[in-house]
Amino acid sequence: MIREPVSSVVDLKRGAMSANTGRYEKRLSDLNGLYADEVAFQAALAELGDVVVYDVEDFRPGPHSGDLIYGVTRMSPGRIGEEFYLTRGHIHAKADRPEIYYGQKGHGLMQLESPEGETRIVDITPQTICYVPPFWIHRSINIGNEDLVMVFVYPSDSGQDYGIIETSQGMRHRVVAGEAEGWQLAENPAYRPRSAEAVRSLMKTYA
């Protein structure tokens, strides 16, 4: 059966959109273990309470292959020690599926990591389109002093694998506060590279 077209309006002030079919939020406690400075994390949790760090509203037409999920992410500004507020990050469960992010408000970064551990950073400001190619792990980071709002689109059958970052004890680099660009990359000493077998298992093409 043919489906009807849908129109959604993005509300930049709230970081929300109309016609969404779902919404979820991540609070500070949900990000426990992502930051290097555990003392700073616990201090922030005690001072700020279990605040919402980011929330997502999306439209999901269904799991049909060839269809699209789209939505809006809104992330608060803030830091834990030297690290900025960030999302948990993921690779798609079907890792050959790409994603698009379209900056609407604020200043952020898209941190990407290949299965072999290469790092790429894409600067995201209003009207910036970031293309996340297949097979890249990715997470969003708010390096500004206001909400970061982005529109995203990805194939409906992509799925998300959040465990890939946890298994490697984080991404290879951490984005920390710096002087020249406002941020810089720092090596993550706890990082565990993926084995050649693990990399091969990710590099599959799905129907």
Side-chain angles (χ1 to χ4, degrees):
M1 183 177 69
I2 191 168
R3 294 190 297 279
E4 291 295 320
V6 176
S7 173
S8 296
V9 177
V10 176
D11 182 335
L12 290 182
K13 186 174 182 179
R14 296 191 302 117
M17 75 175 196
S18 63
N20 63 299
T21 59
R23 182 182 189 279
Y24 68 87
E25 61 186 28
K26 291 298 178 183
R27 295 181 175 272
L28 190 56
S29 62
D30 295 320
L31 306 184
N32 188 22
L34 297 187
Y35 294 96
D37 193 335
E38 178 63 20
V39 173
F41 178 84
Q42 295 299 332
L45 196 58
E47 178 183 353
L48 303 174
D50 202 12
V51 295
V52 175
V53 174
Y54 64 95
D55 46 65
V56 176
E57 293 190 356
D58 59 15
F59 175 79
R60 294 175 177 257
H64 325 288
S65 177
D67 215 329
L68 296 171
I69 293 171
Y70 68 86
V72 173
T73 297
R74 182 214 59 83
M75 185 186 301
S76 301
R79 274 171 43 183
I80 301 296
E82 293 300 305
E83 294 180 80
F84 302 93
Y85 278 1
L86 46 74
T87 60
R88 292 168 63 199
H90 64 273
I91 194 170
H92 291 147
K94 293 184 176 180
D96 66 338
R97 291 345 190 210
E99 189 162 359
I100 292 287
Y101 289 85
Y102 183 24
Q104 301 290 293
K105 177 184 177 183
H107 188 188
L109 303 175
M110 188 63 60
Q111 181 180 2
L112 301 99
E113 181 177 295
S114 71
E116 295 87 352
E118 298 174 279
T119 298
R120 301 287 186 272
I121 300 291
V122 176
D123 197 61
I124 296 182
T125 53
Q127 310 308 305
T128 300
I129 297 174
C130 170
Y131 170 62
V132 177
F135 305 113
W136 285 83
I137 303 160
H138 49 286
R139 75 165 21 136
S140 308
I141 303 168
N142 187 352
I143 63 170
N145 55 14
E146 63 176 334
D147 282 354
L148 173 65
V149 179
M150 299 180 296
V151 169
F152 60 83
V153 183
Y154 60 91
S156 295
D157 64 346
S158 299
Q160 283 87 25
D161 175 1
Y162 296 98
I164 191 169
I165 295 177
E166 182 179 354
T167 300
S168 289
Q169 295 192 8
M171 297 180 81
R172 180 178 175 181
H173 293 97
R174 295 183 179 275
V175 175
V176 300
E179 295 181 2
E181 299 293 333
W183 63 273
Q184 60 188 16
L185 290 178
E187 291 281 347
N188 174 11
Y191 178 73
R192 290 182 177 177
R194 295 166 198 92
S195 67
E197 181 180 354
V199 171
R200 281 194 301 271
S201 71
L202 288 170
M203 304 298 290
K204 295 188 293 188
T205 300
Y206 296 83

